């Protein structure tokens, strides 16, 4: 089929104008409809945040709300959250399209022109020249200086250069000053003998005199520490520490020859002494892991404790010590040697002006945290004590110290090795502290026989406690073996090198705090001051260890009650026994003596007005309800003891 010739050769313009007009009409309609649809949608749905800001795009946390009307105070913002002023009506008007020319080609797509929108923010964008390099600071302490913090040398709680809050030399040399005032007032009843050649009371011819005593002691400790290094995560690189202590003490008794061997000195004694409790250099040798496990070396007069509660050796002595950690501090070790210093008689401080003692202590111990369970620390210790003191020693009050006035009064030498296990921590809710030591060695001669004897003695202690809110009850058990035959070739009484037990009430207890003399059996004490072992020593500060002793057995109950963060009440009740009283029977030349020493009952109140250890006031009272063993040795009375202690620290 063929078309008419006239239809194939019509002019192109005449044929396209109707089609072009139709396409233009449809295009205009679509554009207008789309713009109307978008405008309608924008006017219908917007999104608002919790502070009332309205945006057009959906965002997490925004609530769908109707869009505000044009001209309202709250206009939608851009998707970036910044407010944009609405465009002018001229900018919103769609410009009309110019008429299409008949070019013989398909019409080109035209883009509608708009007026540029108003600026989003009046603040111009930063340029490259606006950025400046950071200003370096020498260290983080100078940053605090720029913030304007003031320093007050008398205030230990805020920024203070004397408390190592800021370097004093360079970037990492610090100085720390510590000052402690320790005041003790005591009223006590202790069995006191009448002087052998005189008495202060007419008609006083008995063995025992008045037991009333009172004393006051004031110690001022100054600690100067100069160290290098950032100690937040690791030990200091260098540390120099010096701790002098100034002591004044006054004692008054009611019997002569009790405060001094010279009866002419009367009933009172006052004494002033300056001791040196620390003077050492500590050098950080190296770090051995990324967790700052380390090896360090310390030499000089330094504090050391062989166990957690001070049962065997806790003192400030001259020595050298290598120590460190491994396994992210799970393993800790000490290898130490000490040559013991003489002590001042009345203050108990180190006497650096006297010759060193012929008494050496070698210690190796190893700690393991979280063993055998999480939260419990185990420790193994080997300590050797070598004593070669073969000269007489009288103390500052004229009484003999070495050898002790007991038995043959022979100068002695001994070598004894202690092997022990100590633990401290908790098993679940149950807190546990435990110590076990076995002592083995020999001494020449013994206390009661002029020959070499073998030392074999045992010690064990444990304390269980559990916290119930603000109350912690405690159970304490302690055993030190005694010697059942002072004339054989074995010494089975346990004695320590220098004990300072923090156990069963510690110095709140009458028996632990007071040195009760064995009157009529030798110028020794049942247990030394601040000691729990019945070791029959002249003193723990200047005397020698004695492994021919009656031993001790103690069981106790106690409770700590934190009534407030500032106030604590403590109560302790201990029952005490001799393990074997044979040695005392021989020393006193007395018939059978009962094992029961008595019941030691004490109470104390501790007040910390600032809820810290910077100010602590403690008052305590204790009494020994005498058992048959104590009554057999001393007058039939129950001695008492009151203490008031105030500590102020800077």
């Amino acid at each position: 089929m063929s078309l008419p010739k006239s239809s194939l050769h019509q002019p192109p313009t005449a044929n396209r104008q109707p089609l072009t007009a139709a396409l233009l009409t449809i295009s205009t309609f679509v554009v207008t409809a789309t713009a109307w649809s978008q405008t309608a949608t924008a006017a219908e749905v917007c999104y608002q945040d919790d502070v009332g800001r309205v945006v057009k795009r959906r965002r997490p946390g925004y609530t769908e709300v109707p869009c505000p009307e044009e001209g309202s105070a709250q206009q939608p913002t851009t998707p970036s959250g910044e407010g944009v002023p609405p465009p002018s009506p001229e900018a919103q008007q769609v410009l009309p399209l110019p008429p299409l020319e008949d070019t013989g080609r398909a019409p080109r797509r035209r883009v509608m022109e708009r007026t540029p929108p108003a600026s989003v923010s009046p603040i111009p964008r930063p340029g490259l020249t606006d950025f400046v390099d950071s200003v370096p600071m020498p260290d983080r302490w100078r940053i605090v200086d720029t913030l304007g913090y003031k320093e007050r040398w008398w205030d230990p709680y805020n920024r203070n250069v004397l408390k190592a809050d800021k370097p004093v030399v360079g970037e990492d040399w610090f100085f720390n000053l510590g000052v402690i005032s320790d005041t003790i007032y005591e009223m006590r009843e202790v069995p006191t003998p009448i002087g052998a050649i005189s008495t202060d009371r007419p008609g006083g011819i008995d063995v025992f005199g008045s037991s009333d005593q009172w004393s006051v002691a004031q110690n001022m400790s100054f600690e100067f520490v100069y160290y290098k290094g950032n100690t937040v995560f690791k030990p200091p690189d260098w540390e120099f520490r010096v701790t002098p202590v100034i002591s004044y003490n006054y004692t008054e008794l009611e019997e002569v020859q009790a405060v001094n061997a010279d009866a002419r000195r009367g009933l009172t004694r006052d004494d002033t002494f300056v001791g040196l409790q620390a003077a050492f250099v500590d050098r950080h040798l190296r770090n051995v892991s990324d967790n700052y496990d380390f090896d360090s070396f310390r030499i000089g007069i330094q504090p050391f404790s062989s166990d957690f509660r001070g049962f065997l050796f806790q003192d400030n002595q001259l020595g050298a010590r290598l120590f460190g950690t491994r396994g992210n501090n799970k393993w800790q070790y000490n290898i130490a040697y000490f040559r013991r210093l003489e002590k001042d008689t009345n203050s108990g401080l180190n006497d650096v002006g006297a010759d060193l003692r012929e008494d050496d202590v070698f210690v190796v111990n190893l700690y393991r945290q979280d063993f055998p369970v999480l939260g419990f620390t185990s420790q193994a210790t080997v300590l050797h004590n070598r004593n070669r003191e073969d000269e007489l020693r009288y103390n500052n009050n004229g009484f003999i110290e070495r050898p002790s006035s007991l038995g043959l009064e022979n100068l002695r030498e001994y070598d004894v090795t202690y092997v022990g296990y100590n633990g401290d921590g908790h098993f679940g809710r149950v807190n546990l502290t435990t110590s076990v030591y076995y002592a083995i060695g020999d001494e020449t001669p013994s206390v009661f026989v002029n020959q070499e004897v073998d030392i074999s003695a045992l010690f064990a202690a444990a304390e269980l406690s559990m916290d119930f809110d603000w109350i912690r009850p405690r159970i304490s058990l302690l055993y030190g073996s005694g010697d059942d035959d002072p004339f054989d070739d074995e010494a089975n009484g346990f004695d320590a090198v220098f004990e300072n037990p923090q156990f069963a009430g510690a110095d709140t207890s009458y028996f632990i705090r007071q040195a009760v003399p064995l009157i009529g059996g030798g110028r020794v004490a049942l247990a030394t001051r601040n000691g729990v072992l019945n070791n029959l020593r002249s003193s723990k500060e200047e005397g020698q260890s004695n492994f021919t002793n009656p031993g001790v057995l103690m069981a106790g109950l106690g409770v700590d009650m934190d009534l407030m963060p500032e106030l604590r009440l403590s109560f302790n009740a201990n029952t005490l026994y001799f393990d074997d009283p044979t040695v005392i029977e021989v020393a006193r030349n007395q018939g059978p003596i009962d094992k029961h020493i008595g019941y030691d009952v004490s109470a104390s109140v501790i007040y910390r007005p600032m809820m810290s250890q910077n100010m602590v006031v403690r008052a305590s009272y204790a009494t020994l309800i005498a058992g048959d063993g104590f009554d057999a040795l001393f007058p039939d009375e129950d001695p008492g003891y009151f203490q008031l202690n105030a500590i102020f620290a800077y």
Side-chain angles (χ1 to χ4, degrees), residues 386-441:
R386 175 184 178 273
N387 186 282
R388 296 293 184 270
E389 294 176 307
D390 56 357
E391 295 182 358
L392 293 174
R393 166 72 178 179
Y394 289 87
N395 63 28
N396 297 339
N397 299 325
F399 300 113
I400 191 168
E401 291 282 357
R402 300 192 298 266
S404 61
S405 183
L406 179 69
L408 299 178
E409 295 190 24
N410 284 331
L411 292 168
R412 296 184 298 119
E413 298 179 355
Y414 54 84
D415 287 274
V416 57
T417 300
Y418 300 87
V419 180
Y421 168 82
N422 300 280
D424 185 72
H426 62 89
F427 289 78
R429 290 188 58 194
V430 179
N431 306 306
L432 173 64
T433 296
T434 183
S435 291
V436 179
Y437 286 108
Y438 177 66
I440 185 172

Side-chain angles (χ1 to χ4, degrees), residues 357-378:
R357 298 180 60 171
E358 291 288 331
D359 195 338
D360 300 315
V361 178
F362 306 86
V363 185
V364 176
N365 60 28
L366 183 65
Y367 296 80
R368 176 63 166 91
Q369 293 190 31
D370 299 330
F371 180 81
V373 298
L374 188 68
F376 192 83
T377 300
S378 293

Side-chain angles (χ1 to χ4, degrees), residues 601-632:
V601 182
S602 62
S604 67
V605 54
I606 301 174
Y607 179 57
R608 304 182 306 158
M610 303 182 70
M611 291 187 290
S612 72
Q613 297 301 110
N614 290 69
M615 186 180 299
V616 182
V617 180
R618 182 180 63 174
S620 62
Y621 178 79
T623 184
L624 181 67
I625 304 174
D628 292 339
F630 194 87
D631 284 338

Side-chain angles (χ1 to χ4, degrees), residues 479-492:
Y479 170 76
S481 62
D483 193 356
D484 59 353
D485 186 356
F487 300 107
D488 63 6
D489 60 353
E490 283 192 2
N492 303 120

Side-chain angles (χ1 to χ4, degrees), residues 47-55 59 62 74 77 80-82:
Y47 302 93
Q48 184 177 20
D49 63 3
D50 54 356
V51 296
R53 185 171 49 188
V54 179
V55 298
R59 287 190 173 187
Y62 281 57
Q74 186 177 17
T77 61
S80 63
E82 299 178 355

